[in-house]
């Protein structure tokens, strides 16, 4: 009797831990993205592509085999172009009305704004002249 009881209890506990899949796939539960949320999602994708373009090593780490054997372009022109691209992304982000974003999207927007502002400020204050810091290098 005890040998039969343990597998039944384990099956019951494991079954109770599963999330019902039929509820997660119903259209009533899934939310439609607002236009502002869609703009933010596109901006996040663009910022990610910009980040991968800046760093072939990171692109390779995330599975882009075309970046194999490439190094980041650290020339003054490339750094200025990256800063300009990050500044453009930051301006696009600030143009998205925050009050129209969902709660989760507003958090994502704040994080992205911090990251982009930090990259823009790093170039403006010439942090690229200090390639070795306590955080990297």
């Amino acid at each position: 009797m005890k040998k039969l009881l343990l597998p039944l209890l384990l099956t019951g506990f494991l079954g109770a831990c599963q999330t019902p899949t039929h509820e997660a796939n119903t259209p009533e539960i899934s939310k439609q993205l607002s236009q502002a949320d869609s703009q933010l999602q596109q901006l996040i994708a663009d910022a990610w592509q910009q980040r991968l373009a800046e760093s072939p090593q990171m692109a390779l780490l995330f599975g882009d085999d075309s970046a194999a054997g490439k190094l980041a372009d650290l020339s003054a022109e490339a750094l200025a172009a990256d800063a300009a691209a990050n500044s453009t992304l930051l301006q696009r982000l600030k143009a998205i009305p925050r009050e129209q974003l969902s709660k989760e999207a507003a958090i994502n927007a704040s994080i992205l704004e911090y990251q982009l502002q930090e990259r823009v400020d790093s170039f403006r204050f010439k942090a690229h002249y200090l390639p070795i810091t306590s955080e990297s290098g």
Side-chain angles (χ1 to χ4, degrees), residues 12 18 22 32 34 40 42 47 50-52 64 75 84 87-88 102 104 126:
Q18 293 179 343
H22 66 280
Q32 292 287 3
S34 71
L40 179 64
Q42 182 59 50
Q50 169 63 25
R51 185 79 173 168
L52 293 179
D64 182 4
S75 67
S87 181
T88 301
S102 66
E104 295 85 7
K126 302 185 185 337

Side-chain angles (χ1 to χ4, degrees), residues 79-80 83 90 114 116-131 133:
L79 292 173
L90 184 59
Y114 172 81
L116 291 172
Q117 188 67 57
E118 199 274 327
R119 286 189 217 140
V120 168
D121 290 345
S122 290
F123 181 78
R124 185 171 55 135
F125 295 119
K126 302 185 185 337
H128 51 281
Y129 289 128
L130 298 170
T133 66

Side-chain angles (χ1 to χ4, degrees), residues 61-132:
L61 181 68
F62 284 100
D64 182 4
D65 293 333
S66 68
K70 295 180 183 175
L71 295 175
D73 186 357
L74 298 177
S75 67
E77 296 82 16
L79 292 173
D82 291 342
N86 286 324
S87 181
T88 301
L89 289 169
L90 184 59
Q91 289 171 357
R92 283 177 52 199
L93 177 62
K94 288 182 178 183
I96 297 173
R98 294 284 174 102
E99 63 277 356
Q100 294 178 9
L101 292 173
S102 66
K103 193 174 195 178
E104 295 85 7
I107 292 169
N108 289 337
S110 296
I111 293 169
L112 181 61
E113 182 177 13
Y114 172 81
Q115 291 173 341
L116 291 172
Q117 188 67 57
E118 199 274 327
R119 286 189 217 140
V120 168
D121 290 345
S122 290
F123 181 78
R124 185 171 55 135
F125 295 119
K126 302 185 185 337
H128 51 281
Y129 289 128
L130 298 170
I132 299 175

Side-chain angles (χ1 to χ4, degrees), residues 2-88:
K2 287 184 181 179
K3 290 183 180 181
L4 183 60
L5 186 60
L6 182 61
L8 287 173
L9 285 175
L10 284 175
T11 305
F13 286 133
L14 292 175
C17 293
Q18 293 179 343
T19 305
T21 56
H22 66 280
E23 291 179 12
N25 294 329
T26 58
E28 299 86 31
I29 294 176
S30 65
K31 290 193 249 180
Q32 292 287 3
L33 290 177
S34 71
Q35 183 178 3
D37 285 359
S38 297
Q39 288 175 337
L40 179 64
Q41 289 300 323
Q42 182 59 50
L43 183 64
I44 289 171
D46 293 346
W48 180 247
Q49 289 306 314
Q50 169 63 25
R51 185 79 173 168
L52 293 179
E54 289 175 8
S55 176
Q57 295 92 343
M58 183 186 292
L60 181 62
L61 181 68
F62 284 100
D64 182 4
D65 293 333
S66 68
K70 295 180 183 175
L71 295 175
D73 186 357
L74 298 177
S75 67
E77 296 82 16
L79 292 173
D82 291 342
N86 286 324
S87 181
T88 301

